[in-house]
Amino acid sequence: MAIEQNVRAAVVARWSPELRDTNGRPIGMLGFFEAENDLDAVRSLLDSAVAWLREQGVGRIVGPMDGSTWARYRFNLGPHDVPPFLGEPLNPPYYPALWEAAGFVACEDYYSKRVTNLPAAATNLERIGRRVHEQGYRFRTLRPEGFEEELRVFYRLSCEIFSGNFLYRPIPWEEFLAMYRPLQPLIDPRFVLFASAPDGEDVGFMFAYPERRRAVAAASRRWGKLGYLWHAFTRTINLKSLGVVAKHRHSGLGAALMQHGYARAAEAGYRNANLCLIRSDNPSGRLDGDIGEVIRHYRLYERSAG
């Protein structure tokens, strides 16, 4: 079999039978994108992918998305002068410009924030946390001895909480387990919180994990030892996911979960917290204790199938 030796760009085009646009047509996705900084090659590649998806009858086309929102998606728009945090999308700075030159426009924008005074952030949300506790809500940390059982709770809540999100589609339990079970060595149970309602039912969670310096350095050839030293100095916790079921969404429970997260991280000696990958219109971006600063922007793109 002959293998092409001069590949300048690559992408995977697919569509999802579960996701439909407003006209009822399947939504196409472009993912697993890799490319040299070669506009002609990328434009030709993406045009061909869009043409193929059009032949399949899709409507809206989005990317980059490696299969679903459970996997890697979005481009990192920068700034790129600070080492990435663990789990952050990584791509060459020129990728977004290539897609825009190929006719793609912004579909959804996201950002990450950094909080550099954890005790102050916890104090600023303390009143809400106290009120939520008085209403009968309770919090517990992940039980490492029952990790798979705890993942089932996390899975059930995630499927319920995120079911209305743009581009969300469910995945089987087995796929979720295969995705999260390998993360167990990276997780500190103190920073994975579950919230229960006064009746004892689990109704929310906060999923956070400490920055793992060696993992970050290994993930980015560009930063290497500098990335390792950066995260060794900054002592950061990543607040990755926060969710509350619809029935309890206006109780202040999300803010209370964050307050617990800030307080626990500060007690454990962490200096900073990253609020990771927040959609631009998501109210969780305001749960920074009013002291966070935006550190990075990201974008999901779209193109009409015609």
Side-chain angles (χ1 to χ4, degrees):
M1 181 177 65
I3 299 176
E4 174 61 54
Q5 298 295 320
N6 191 32
V7 176
R8 305 292 293 171
V11 74
V12 172
R14 63 182 298 273
W15 75 95
S16 170
E18 298 100 342
L19 298 177
R20 303 274 169 168
D21 64 15
T22 55
N23 295 315
R25 296 180 295 178
I27 291 178
M29 288 171 283
L30 299 176
F32 302 96
F33 176 77
E34 301 288 345
E36 301 291 338
N37 193 3
D38 185 330
L39 176 56
D40 290 338
V42 170
R43 181 185 286 130
S44 176
L45 174 76
L46 295 180
D47 284 349
S48 296
V50 167
W52 181 82
L53 287 169
R54 185 180 295 119
E55 291 173 0
Q56 313 313 308
V58 307
R60 201 172 185 180
I61 297 172
V62 300
M65 180 174 289
D66 295 357
S68 75
T69 55
W70 295 93
R72 187 182 69 163
Y73 71 106
R74 300 165 288 208
F75 280 142
N76 188 325
L77 302 184
H80 299 278
D81 56 350
V82 173
F85 55 79
L86 183 60
E88 186 174 15
L90 289 175
N91 54 261
Y94 59 81
Y95 274 15
L98 289 176
W99 277 51
E100 290 169 10
F104 284 79
V105 298
C107 172
E108 294 273 346
D109 284 314
Y110 307 80
Y111 62 91
S112 293
K113 277 186 171 181
R114 178 164 294 150
V115 174
T116 57
N117 188 333
L118 301 184
T123 298
N124 290 350
L125 296 174
E126 191 172 5
R127 180 181 59 82
I128 300 175
R130 187 165 50 248
R131 173 170 56 82
V132 166
H133 190 270
E134 290 170 353
Q135 291 172 349
Y137 291 94
R138 294 295 180 263
F139 305 90
R140 66 174 179 84
T141 57
L142 180 143
R143 297 178 296 107
E145 68 278 7
F147 186 71
E148 187 167 325
E149 182 181 346
E150 296 287 64
L151 282 184
R152 283 191 178 274
V153 177
F154 185 30
Y155 172 72
R156 176 181 60 78
L157 289 172
S158 296
C159 290
E160 180 177 352
I161 291 167
F162 302 130
S163 61
N165 285 7
F166 177 57
L167 296 177
Y168 170 87
R169 68 172 181 83
I171 59 173
W173 156 247
E174 293 75 17
E175 185 177 340
F176 181 89
L177 180 61
M179 186 182 302
Y180 278 90
R181 185 162 49 190
L183 300 181
Q184 186 172 4
L186 300 177
I187 293 173
D188 185 328
R190 295 175 296 174
F191 306 122
V192 180
L193 300 178
F194 294 98
S196 60
D199 63 3
E201 179 185 6
D202 289 316
V203 295
F205 67 85
M206 185 196 74
F207 178 65
Y209 53 89
E211 190 61 78
R212 301 296 184 179
R213 301 181 294 277
R214 292 188 186 278
V216 171
S220 176
R221 287 176 297 176
R222 175 186 176 190
W223 292 106
K225 186 176 180 180
L226 177 59
Y228 179 91
L229 294 173
W230 167 267
H231 291 291
F233 175 75
T234 56
R235 286 282 291 165
T236 299
I237 191 88
N238 293 316
L239 304 178
K240 177 63 172 62
S241 299
L242 177 76
V244 176
V245 300
K247 182 179 177 181
H248 297 268
R249 204 159 284 166
H250 300 291
S251 62
L253 187 54
L257 281 163
M258 293 292 283
Q259 192 270 334
H260 276 263
Y262 293 135
R264 287 173 180 272
E267 291 169 3
Y270 287 89
R271 299 176 179 176
N272 307 304
N274 291 328
L275 280 62
C276 306
L277 304 168
I278 306 164
R279 198 180 70 245
S280 59
D281 60 349
N282 193 313
S284 66
R286 299 193 292 271
L287 300 180
D288 59 352
D290 295 323
I291 59 175
E293 294 185 1
V294 174
I295 58 170
R296 210 100 70 196
H297 295 271
Y298 318 88
R299 180 165 292 164
L300 182 70
Y301 286 91
E302 69 175 325
R303 183 165 151 181
S304 171

